[in-house]
Amino acid sequence: MATLTTSGDPQQTIADRPRRRYAIVGLGCRAGMFIEPLATDHHEHAEIVAFCDPNPAAIAAHQRKLTQQGLPETPRFIASDPTEMVRRTRPDTVILCTPDHLHAPQAVRLMELGCDVIVEKPLAIDAAGCRDVLEATARTGRRVRVTFNCRYMPWAGLIHKLLRQGVIGDVISAQIDWMLDARKGVTYFSRWHAEKNRSGGLLVHKATHHLDLMNWWLDAVPRTVFAMGDRAFFGAENKHKHGIGRHGPVGDHYVGQDNSGDPFAPQPHTLGEARGRFDCTPGSPGSPGYRPDRSVWRGHDLDIEDVMSVMVRYHTGPILTYNLHAFGPRPQAMIAFNGTRGRLEFHQQPGGRVMPNGPVTTAVMPEDGVPAMWRTRCVVHPLFAQAWEVPVPVAEGDHDGGDPLLAMSLFAGMDDPSLGRAAGAQQAAASALIGIAGNLSLDTGQPVDMGQLCPHISHAFRLHELD
């Protein structure tokens, strides 16, 4: 196992470093991924100095968890604009967990105010946003870090190392087939993610997960993107396929509705958790106007695709094919690389499947009385030789054990230098732009040249040439 090392002065220990001041902007569910490690494992060398969100209930939900740990009250700023928060609390770094369409303009503003920024992916949902952030980093000299937690999953690191060792020679082509289970799909289509002008759609969202991994594995920058996609499962136009509405009208929201005839509706306790952060009663005092309980069969505010295929040509030569389905009976992933000396395959799937009205946060339920278990395999198929299986490492924590390692890198500066996992704004743009180019290709039916969308990264062929 590779040793984690600290960045910067090798003679300086973590304890010697001044305690860094962090503020959190956007207190939705994503914020917990940063608040928890800052308040626990990294509390001695980092502190949270402010929360900023227009929704007081969202801030209160996170503050309650800190209070239960015996930590003091964090200053709260009930606002959409973080300017006053920065001026009053002077954070060193601001962590952006706001809806995706706000990432680019808020990152630019925070850099102009003198802050470094940690941005939840994606960096931006359109090419203009990518260009704005890259120009702001050059203009202000501030640092941007984007949180690609999938790079920190132990199995992803295994694939990276195998490719660097040349076990299949030079990579000629690669493929990713990813299936979200239907319950996970519901989480995207019931929230703001279903609005392309706020999220960029699943093409942008998953580009910063799966396709960033491919950029990193290949150490390559995409050159050309072509995409096809459709909304064939969710949405008002598809509810008849599932018998939804057969026994009565279907409301636009789950809270306050009879959901007994909808197997895709989340369980009441899950809706209760959402209500703890958002007031789902329209017109109520203090309501932020956002409801995360929207029906996936509604006929408005839902314009993203649920099935899509993408082809990517890289500057270094390989061709990638990527398929995503957002409505499977269980989650499943198949990743493969074809090289001059053989083929590398990775498979991941659970032993169970989703059940009607199961919790949104639980992907699989026991099947035939046997607890669901993830089945993961990594196999090398050499040319003219026997295939061999590679043991897949596992770790505790969310995102297959990646989140704790990401937090260690973000807040303690400790990482495996052989993997090159830390990503700045340029590498983040390289992944987001695949989804952005894919959306443009969906609209035009034509392949899209990445360099024309964002000339700021067109000089690079290898990903490590970007920050």
Side-chain angles (χ1 to χ4, degrees):
M1 180 177 179
T3 303
L4 296 181
T5 61
T6 57
S7 58
D9 184 354
Q11 302 301 316
Q12 184 184 50
T13 67
I14 296 174
D16 293 332
R17 297 178 181 180
R19 202 171 182 214
R20 195 161 182 85
R21 296 166 61 82
Y22 292 89
I24 314 291
V25 176
L27 275 292
C29 60
R30 291 173 172 175
M33 188 178 81
F34 305 100
I35 295 173
E36 181 177 351
L38 282 171
T40 54
D41 295 342
H42 303 284
H43 183 61
E44 292 186 0
H45 49 271
E47 63 177 322
I48 303 173
V49 299
F51 289 149
C52 181
D53 194 290
N55 179 11
I59 296 179
H62 287 285
Q63 182 60 57
R64 281 193 296 271
K65 296 178 182 179
L66 297 182
T67 301
Q68 291 169 0
Q69 298 176 32
L71 296 174
E73 183 80 10
T74 303
R76 308 183 190 191
F77 293 82
I78 314 301
S80 299
D81 185 347
T83 301
E84 184 64 17
M85 177 209 70
V86 170
R87 288 174 174 165
R88 290 177 57 181
T89 63
R90 309 309 303 172
D92 299 307
T93 300
V94 176
I95 302 174
L96 272 180
C97 303
T98 49
D100 297 348
H101 68 294
L102 298 175
H103 290 178
Q106 289 184 333
V108 170
R109 177 60 178 152
L110 289 164
M111 284 188 279
E112 291 173 343
L113 291 170
C115 300
D116 291 334
V117 186
I118 295 173
V119 185
E120 240 301 291
K121 56 200 171 303
L123 178 69
I125 67 168
D126 55 35
C130 291
R131 295 191 297 266
D132 288 346
V133 174
L134 295 176
E135 290 168 4
T137 58
R139 184 173 67 251
T140 66
R142 307 311 307 181
R143 292 178 297 175
V144 171
R145 178 81 181 270
V146 181
T147 56
F148 292 121
N149 41 11
C150 288
R151 294 189 185 188
Y152 290 82
M153 297 187 296
W155 63 259
L158 171 66
I159 293 174
H160 187 278
K161 291 177 180 178
L162 290 171
L163 293 174
R164 292 301 175 276
Q165 290 167 8
V167 295
I168 62 168
D170 297 331
V171 176
I172 297 171
S173 65
Q175 62 195 94
I176 300 178
D177 290 300
W178 208 288
M179 182 167 65
L180 307 177
D181 69 85
R183 302 231 54 76
K184 182 66 174 178
V186 165
T187 68
Y188 294 113
F189 285 82
S190 62
R191 298 182 291 166
W192 55 263
H193 304 76
E195 302 171 48
K196 192 170 281 191
N197 65 348
R198 301 182 75 183
S199 69
L202 284 175
L203 265 182
V204 171
H205 183 81
K206 294 305 178 184
T208 57
H209 287 80
H210 310 151
L211 301 183
D212 173 73
L213 278 176
M214 188 57 66
N215 292 355
W216 176 61
W217 284 327
L218 296 178
D219 187 26
V221 177
R223 187 181 80 188
T224 308
V225 176
F226 178 74
M228 299 181 70
D230 200 357
R231 184 169 59 255
F233 192 92
F234 295 110
E237 67 273 31
N238 295 307
K239 63 184 178 183
H240 67 281
K241 299 177 182 179
H242 315 286
I244 305 298
R246 182 181 301 165
H247 303 293
V250 178
D252 285 342
H253 300 88
Y254 289 119
V255 171
Q257 300 288 333
D258 178 7
N259 302 313
S260 57
D262 185 353
F264 298 90
Q267 285 190 336
H269 84 271
T270 306
L271 292 174
E273 293 170 3
R275 295 181 75 176
R277 290 184 291 114
F278 299 98
D279 191 337
C280 293
T281 305
S284 61
S287 171
Y290 167 60
R291 295 184 61 175
D293 69 320
R294 292 180 289 181
S295 170
V296 297
W297 314 114
R298 66 191 184 278
H300 58 90
D301 296 334
L302 192 159
D303 61 356
I304 67 172
E305 297 78 23
D306 53 30
V307 58
M308 57 214 74
S309 296
V310 181
M311 294 187 68
V312 181
R313 163 76 80 174
Y314 283 89
H315 276 293
T316 52
I319 297 173
L320 165 69
T321 57
Y322 172 70
N323 298 301
L324 176 68
H325 305 267
F327 46 80
R330 62 184 182 183
Q332 185 170 322
M334 193 287 291
I335 302 165
F337 301 83
N338 302 296
T340 54
R341 292 169 48 197
R343 177 178 169 92
L344 172 63
E345 292 182 358
F346 176 83
H347 300 264
Q348 187 180 59
Q349 65 184 42
R353 61 186 60 247
V354 294
M355 302 299 286
N357 304 110
V360 169
T361 53
T362 301
V364 295
M365 304 294 288
E367 185 176 68
D368 301 327
V370 179
M373 297 290 290
W374 281 98
R375 300 166 181 168
T376 303
R377 296 187 70 204
C378 183
V379 183
V380 177
H381 298 270
L383 283 173
F384 315 119
Q386 184 65 39
W388 47 282
E389 188 164 346
V390 186
V392 179
V394 295
E396 295 294 324
D398 288 342
H399 286 99
D400 292 351
D403 285 2
L405 294 174
L406 171 62
M408 184 72 72
S409 176
L410 287 173
F411 305 129
M414 298 185 69
D415 207 336
D416 180 348
S418 70
L419 292 174
R421 293 182 289 202
Q426 291 180 338
Q427 290 193 20
S431 66
L433 283 164
I434 300 178
I436 293 164
N439 282 332
L440 182 58
S441 181
L442 289 177
D443 291 340
T444 64
Q446 300 296 317
V448 176
D449 184 335
M450 292 267 289
Q452 293 183 357
L453 290 181
C454 188
H456 305 67
I457 63 170
S458 61
H459 64 282
F461 278 31
R462 292 287 183 183
L463 191 70
H464 74 262
E465 297 168 4
L466 303 176
D467 69 25

